[in-house]
Amino acid sequence: MKIWDWSYVWEVLPYLYRGAILTVEATLLGFAIALVLGLIFALIRQSRNRYISTAMAEMVEFIRSTPLLLQVFFVYFVGPQFGIFIPAWIAGIGMLGLHYAAYCSECYRAGIENVEGGQWEACTALNLSRQRTWRAIILPQAIPPIAPTLGNYFIGMFKDTPILAAIAILEMLQEAKNFGAENYRFIEAITMVGFFYLVFSLVASALVQAISLWLVRRYHLQ
């Protein structure tokens, strides 16, 4: 019996293609949710109301301190017991986004707190509204330094998508497992999955570096 058979490599590719499309879609949609929710969480934590900011901080800490798989299981399997029925795709993407939003919010918060206090004082002296202060002054200075960290979370989310298989979403790794079970050949399928994850991570890392450099030039070197 051959250890490696190229014929199985070509045979598994259609399976991996289907799974790869779903994996990439899950990553892009989940990360879009994480970026938006993370920023909202970070802004709420800047609230002048101590009770609101504290409640938000506790919620973020709770999400970060519990496993993603447990959160997905709770929403998808426990939710129906309370009359909450969420399709697997929505539950999986939603929890990916929410889980990583907690991490992104801490990243945003670090960037915001890194902005010099004099910037706030200058905005107040110029009588700028709070909304314009955030949009035009604070966030453009806070986001470029944290772009590499956000990019790392993007790559991390991509590598966490196999968790979706736990609620019957056929992402790439699950497709490879199904192929292996049907053909009694796992080495080619699993190896090709690893190769795809490696290539995607390297490409994503290069894109993150390019975007980070562009942001720094756009907001700091003009």
Side-chain angles (χ1 to χ4, degrees), residues 83-138:
I84 303 174
F85 296 89
I86 303 177
W89 175 253
I90 296 177
I93 301 303
M95 292 315 301
L96 268 178
L98 180 62
H99 184 83
Y100 275 88
Y103 289 93
C104 288
S105 71
E106 290 296 284
C107 190
Y108 281 125
R109 189 168 68 91
I112 291 170
E113 292 181 351
N114 192 48
V115 176
E116 294 182 7
Q119 299 289 324
W120 293 99
E121 297 171 3
C123 292
T124 301
L126 293 172
N127 199 30
L128 296 180
S129 66
R130 190 168 179 81
Q131 180 181 3
R132 188 177 180 187
T133 297
W134 277 108
R135 186 181 69 252
I137 307 298
I138 304 303

Side-chain angles (χ1 to χ4, degrees), residues 136-149:
I137 307 298
I138 304 303
L139 292 181
Q141 295 182 73
I143 292 178
I146 64 173
T149 305

Side-chain angles (χ1 to χ4, degrees), residues 40-60:
I40 292 173
F41 291 169
L43 294 178
I44 292 176
R45 291 195 65 176
Q46 301 299 314
S47 172
R48 296 171 180 173
N49 187 311
R50 180 167 58 88
Y51 298 103
I52 293 177
S53 61
T54 300
M56 189 74 256
E58 293 298 326
M59 189 186 83
V60 167

